[in-house]
Amino acid sequence: MSEKTVLSIETLTRLTEEIFRKAGVSPLQSAAVARVIVAGERDACKSHGVYRIEGCLRTLKAGKVEPLAVPELIDDGSGVIRVDAKGAFSPAAFELGAPVLAARARELGVAALVINSCLHFSALWPEIEVLTGHGLAAMAMCPSYSAVAPSGGTTALLGTNPFAFGWPRKDTTPYVFDFATSVAARGEIELHRRAGKSLPEGWAVDADGKPTTDPEAALQGALLPFGAHKGSSISTMIELLAAVMIGDLTSPEALDYLGSMSLLPHHGELILAFSPERFAAGRTDPFARAEVLFEAISGQGARLPSQRRFAARKTAEANGITLTAEEMEMLERLRAGGLDAVT
Ligand code: NDP
Ligand code: PYC
């Protein structure tokens, strides 16, 4: 069994930030990116934790992300707030727009944050939790790049297009789900390949459109949408709302721009925030009624989404984050070598 290393959340955050700064990324961008990556590792979301650092640096080396760009807020006082990420990583753009989005949603009842022109590599739940932290319900979605065949098709066209939702709860963690609209995120397939593990049946087809459980063949072929035509339709909706509607790249266009799925995708994101009190307008208490629903779900023995994640967070906060010898070797290699260490 390989040796494990335990790092505190603060130490891993500092190390991740240092890797990005040494690679030429601005302090603003490095700090925001490190917060999101370490949140993924802390919450045991391995497909969007430290494993993503190398892909970010590879994309930087290929000149497909702007390391020094400063995101710009464009706010005309309406319900649509915009942040132009100017080709940089998405987390700093979100951090700039989120307080304005929250204030506007409380003022108007509903508001949207559009992020344009960003490199997007992260999970969406960190953003959702910022908004539930303001007592708001929230949704977030974005395209990625063509990796998923539409239901009934055989060739990669749609992105793995994540969709996330959150509902605030008093005195406990929020209700949050966040999933790819493919059966699994592409990051999961890459982790299976690295670990030499087969995929479960029904996740992917090979380059000839035939079902496969070989992760390498799946990466050359296409993933499948979750729930057949249902996931395929939700994924198409995300292409329409979070790419076409906001004037940004769709998944096929993002792949054309990059030329390779070994890099991370450039496109936009759409985040919606709702004030439950404003929508309920005093008819009922939306928070109390939501609790009745959550209790009925848990009462059947079903678990709420994000419960696994919140449990992992508790453990990491108490005991630190455990990394494998391979993960530590990768972090040290990138810290020492910067962009030269990336192939
Ligand atoms: P999973 O299938 O692992 O999990 C999806 C969600 O379902 C989580 O909220 C999870 O909660 C919940 N869940 C899992 N099992 C159960 C269960 N038995 N009962 C109730 N809830 C459950 O995620 P994916 O592989 O689809 O996606 C992983 C991540 O990848 C997401 O965070 C997504 O944002 C990200 N992603 C990002 C992309 C991008 O372009 N930026 C593209 C695609 C994906 P829990 O965590 O507690 O298990
Ligand atoms: O895991 O599918 C994925 C993914 C694509 C871009 C970022 N994550």
Side-chain angles (χ1 to χ4, degrees), residues 263-285:
L263 306 179
L264 289 163
H266 171 104
H267 48 69
E269 182 180 355
L270 178 65
I271 302 131
L272 305 168
F274 309 85
S275 160
E277 293 101 324
R278 293 292 300 272
F279 275 84
R283 287 168 58 90
T284 57
D285 176 349

Side-chain angles (χ1 to χ4, degrees), residues 7 47 49 58 82 126-127 141 154 195 197 212 215 218 239 241 244 254 259 300 307 311 313-314 317 330 333 343:
L7 297 182
S47 68
R58 215 181 295 126
R82 193 175 289 272
E127 301 175 347
M141 64 193 88
T154 54
K197 290 204 288 198
T212 184
E239 300 284 348
L241 292 180
V244 173
Q300 293 194 11
Q307 267 181 358
R313 183 181 304 181
K314 226 174 179 173
E317 282 169 351
M330 180 266 294
R333 178 168 51 81
T343 52

Side-chain angles (χ1 to χ4, degrees), residues 110-158:
V110 59
L113 173 63
V114 170
I115 299 177
N116 282 125
S117 304
C118 61
L119 178 145
H120 203 296
F121 69 87
S122 66
L124 302 183
W125 54 258
E127 301 175 347
I128 292 291
E129 283 189 33
V130 168
L131 297 165
T132 56
H134 283 276
L136 299 164
M139 284 184 199
M141 64 193 88
C142 67
S144 62
Y145 37 30
S146 297
V148 181
S151 178
T154 54
T155 309
L157 174 74
L158 302 167

Side-chain angles (χ1 to χ4, degrees), residues 23-315:
V25 179
S26 71
L28 173 84
Q29 301 281 342
S30 297
V33 162
R35 278 191 277 280
V36 165
I37 287 179
V38 175
E41 205 59 46
R42 178 202 64 198
D43 282 18
C45 294
K46 296 296 284 185
S47 68
H48 289 79
V50 294
Y51 144 75
R52 286 286 164 185
I53 298 175
E54 199 156 356
C56 288
L57 298 195
R58 215 181 295 126
T59 312
L60 182 56
K61 193 169 179 172
K64 297 289 187 182
V65 60
E66 295 297 333
L68 302 176
V70 178
E72 181 190 355
L73 180 74
I74 301 148
D75 178 16
D76 62 4
S78 74
V80 181
I81 299 127
R82 193 175 289 272
V83 175
D84 182 351
K86 303 196 169 176
F89 296 99
S90 67
F94 175 79
E95 288 185 5
L96 178 65
V100 187
L101 172 66
R104 197 63 45 79
R106 272 197 302 271
E107 180 193 338
L108 301 179
V110 59
L113 173 63
V114 170
I115 299 177
N116 282 125
S117 304
C118 61
L119 178 145
H120 203 296
F121 69 87
S122 66
L124 302 183
W125 54 258
E127 301 175 347
I128 292 291
E129 283 189 33
V130 168
L131 297 165
T132 56
H134 283 276
L136 299 164
M139 284 184 199
M141 64 193 88
C142 67
S144 62
Y145 37 30
S146 297
V148 181
S151 178
T154 54
T155 309
L157 174 74
L158 302 167
T160 47
N161 300 2
F163 185 61
F165 169 80
W167 180 271
R169 301 179 69 189
K170 295 197 174 101
D171 309 321
T172 185
T173 49
Y175 176 92
V176 178
F177 68 73
D178 176 16
F179 46 68
T181 46
S182 43
V183 177
R186 196 166 187 277
E188 262 319 312
I189 313 299
E190 291 187 3
L191 291 177
H192 274 74
R193 181 174 62 84
R194 285 180 184 204
K197 290 204 288 198
S198 297
L199 302 176
E201 307 254 345
W203 279 26
V205 291
D206 64 17
D208 298 322
K210 304 250 162 44
T212 184
T213 57
D214 173 6
E216 187 58 51
L219 292 170
Q220 302 305 324
L223 304 185
L224 294 172
F226 83 89
H229 59 285
K230 301 178 186 182
S232 194
S233 303
I234 293 173
S235 182
T236 306
M237 175 194 78
I238 293 170
E239 300 284 348
L240 294 172
L241 292 180
V244 173
M245 187 176 83
I246 66 168
D248 221 308
L249 300 185
T250 60
S251 295
E253 290 165 346
L255 184 55
D256 279 351
Y257 169 79
L258 278 183
S260 161
M261 270 192 272
S262 65
L263 306 179
L264 289 163
H266 171 104
H267 48 69
E269 182 180 355
L270 178 65
I271 302 131
L272 305 168
F274 309 85
S275 160
E277 293 101 324
R278 293 292 300 272
F279 275 84
R283 287 168 58 90
T284 57
D285 176 349
F287 300 109
R289 294 185 67 211
E291 290 308 314
V292 174
L293 189 60
F294 298 143
E295 274 160 32
I297 293 170
S298 303
Q300 293 194 11
R303 83 156 163 96
L304 296 179
S306 291
Q307 267 181 358
R308 177 202 62 87
R309 206 162 54 68
F310 289 130
R313 183 181 304 181
K314 226 174 179 173
T315 305

Side-chain angles (χ1 to χ4, degrees), residues 1-7 41 46 50 194 321-332:
M1 201 152 112
S2 76
E3 202 183 308
K4 308 270 187 199
T5 300
V6 179
L7 297 182
E41 205 59 46
K46 296 296 284 185
V50 294
R194 285 180 184 204
I321 296 173
T322 305
L323 296 173
T324 62
E326 292 74 27
E327 287 167 335
M328 284 307 297
E329 183 277 326
M330 180 266 294
L331 292 172
E332 287 306 334

